[in-house]
Every structure is written in structure tokens, then in C-alpha cells.
Amino acid sequence: MPSNDKRGQFDPVPDPARRRGSVVLRHKQAQTPQADRYLLDSHEGSGFTHTDPWRVLRIQSEFVEGFGTLSELGPAVSVFGSARAHRDSENYAHAETIGRILAEAGYAVITGGGPGAMEGANKGAVSAAGTSVGLGIELPFETGLNEWVDVGINFRYFFARKTMFVKYSQGFIVLPGGFGTLDELFEALTLVQTEKVTSFPIVLMGTAYWGPLLDWLRGTVAAHGAISPSDLNLVKITDDPVEAAQLAMAHGNGNGNGHGLPKE
């Protein structure tokens, strides 16, 4: 007798989940605009005068959550790079090596918490029994925090997230990446150039990838007087992940443990 069980015929294709702060959105709810878009989009009506003040409280809560979670993290280095780096790629391997070396020296490793190079760095930190931090962000298509993050925070707003990267890091290591990586790189360069942060090493990993950018900055931007030639001294470049980690730690002081946040 044929079975009347038709459950498998109507199983929906799983929709990717999206996080909005501590909230998980799936299916149709995952298509709602991001919080940053609500805040920055100029096409809202006059109702913004009623909603923006409440957003201030939400933004405040993200800063409070970040400060409260990371305030006792200890020395840390942020590692940036493409979410599209495959696990069998050189960039992933370099990120993993960097994460391991930093953790062995007592530094926490902070990434954007996503896949690719970020996952590699988090994995390397965990392999050395170090603290692996992921600062996630609400995006239209995301996979959530990678499995190697052991201290994770999800943000709605880019500017709150970027504040945490700079405030709790002693340096940046930047592997090949796209717009997001470039945004983080130039934000750090601007803060160092304007002396908003001091003694903050910025290390580029990959001469073939970053060399043309530095050539353009030197030959075009500096040549036009838009930056000083000495501004290019704010960044170091290398192909060696060991040297990258050492350069990032040059102005810092590892805490000798890197094994997690103090218990309350």
C-alpha cells in the first residue's frame, strides 16, 4: 500500500538566518532592512523625529555591551581579512598562523567573527589556548559568528563595532580583503595620522596584494599633496605571518595568559 506521508514534499528550503543584535531573524523576517539602513537612509518621512531618539538608546546599549564585555580583555590585536578566503587558501593559513602566534604571546585575537581569514585567525588563537573574540555585524547575507569564536558580540551599527576594534586593540594586522577590510584599514590609518590613537602598529600582510595600493598612495595621493610622504611610514608590509605578528606586538605587552576573560 503506498504511503500517504507527504511531509518531505513540502519541506521548505532553509532560509539563511540573520542576526540583529541579540535577535535571530529567519524567513521573511530576515528581509527587513538593517538597523544601519534605518538610521542612515534619508528617505524616511518626518516620523524620524519620533524614532531617532529611541535609536540613541539602542546605540548606547551596543556601546555598553561592548565596553562591559571587553573592558578586562587585556592586550589584544585585531586581524582583518576577506570573509571569502577559502579554508585551503594561503590567506586562511596565514591568518591561522598569526592567530596562534599572537595567542602564544598572551594576546587576545579580535576579528569580525565571520568566515574566511577571520575564522582562520580565531582558529589559530583557540589552537594556542588563547582568547578568540568575534565582533559580528548585521548584514543582508551572513553566516553568523564562526565556530572558533569563544567571546562574541553581535552589533547592529558599524560605528559602534569599529570603536571596539580600535579601543581594545594594540595593533591591526590586515590580510587581503575587500571593501570592509579597506574601510577598517583606512579608519585605523586616519586615527593614527590624526593622533587619535598613538603607538598603534598597522601591518599589511601580502606585498603582491597591498603593494599596488601603497604605490598609488605614494605616486598619486602623496604626489598631489593630499597626504604627507611620511604618512606612509604609518604602515608596515610583509609576506611573513611570523613577522606580521611580531610587528603588531612591537608596541604592546602581552599578558602572558591569553586564556579568557576574568570570571565575575
Side-chain angles (χ1 to χ4, degrees):
M1 183 174 180
S3 172
N4 290 322
D5 188 351
K6 299 181 180 180
R7 287 174 295 178
Q9 298 179 25
F10 301 101
D11 288 343
V13 176
D15 289 329
R18 180 157 67 85
R19 286 190 175 274
R20 176 181 292 165
S22 60
V23 178
V24 177
L25 302 174
R26 290 193 173 93
H27 309 304
K28 291 183 179 179
Q29 293 299 318
Q31 306 305 315
T32 57
Q34 303 169 67
D36 261 335
R37 178 177 168 184
Y38 275 126
L39 177 66
L40 301 174
D41 199 331
S42 61
H43 301 296
E44 285 187 316
S46 60
F48 81 93
T49 57
H50 301 290
T51 57
D52 278 2
W54 290 104
R55 288 194 190 121
V56 171
L57 297 178
R58 179 178 289 168
I59 292 165
Q60 175 181 286
S61 72
E62 293 211 338
F63 281 104
V64 170
E65 186 72 34
F67 293 157
T69 302
L70 302 177
S71 61
E72 298 183 11
L73 183 64
V77 170
S78 288
V79 181
F80 301 104
S82 176
R84 305 184 188 193
H86 296 293
R87 289 176 175 172
D88 58 355
S89 69
E90 182 179 61
N91 287 336
Y92 188 101
H94 284 166
E96 188 173 347
T97 298
I98 288 168
R100 175 179 54 78
I101 293 171
L102 292 172
E104 289 174 345
Y107 287 80
V109 174
I110 304 176
T111 77
M118 295 175 281
E119 178 187 295
N122 289 130
K123 181 180 179 181
V126 170
S127 72
T131 302
S132 170
V133 180
L135 306 181
I137 184 69
E138 177 190 2
L139 294 172
F141 304 101
E142 63 173 293
T143 59
L145 297 175
N146 68 69
E147 62 182 309
W148 301 101
V149 169
D150 49 34
V151 178
I153 308 172
N154 282 294
F155 291 86
R156 291 180 173 89
Y157 301 102
F158 268 111
F159 55 84
R161 177 182 183 240
K162 289 198 288 186
T163 297
M164 302 305 152
F165 280 126
V166 175
K167 180 172 177 58
Y168 294 105
S169 295
Q170 276 68 60
F172 282 1
I173 298 175
V174 188
L175 288 95
F179 287 152
T181 302
L182 289 168
D183 177 50
E184 289 147 352
L185 168 60
F186 280 101
E187 169 117 354
L189 283 171
T190 301
L191 292 173
V192 176
Q193 181 202 45
T194 57
E195 299 184 2
K196 299 298 184 182
V197 294
T198 58
S199 299
F200 194 89
I202 302 170
V203 185
L204 302 180
M205 182 68 205
T207 55
Y209 191 88
W210 296 112
L213 174 62
L214 295 182
D215 291 341
W216 175 74
L217 291 172
R218 184 179 298 108
T220 301
V221 182
H224 281 73
I227 62 173
S228 299
S230 61
D231 288 336
L232 294 171
N233 297 330
L234 299 175
V235 62
K236 306 296 183 183
I237 187 168
T238 181
D239 285 316
D240 182 0
V242 176
E243 183 182 18
Q246 292 172 342
L247 288 169
M249 297 185 291
H251 299 287
N253 179 27
N255 59 15
N257 55 63
H259 296 308
L261 297 172
K263 297 183 183 299
E264 295 182 355

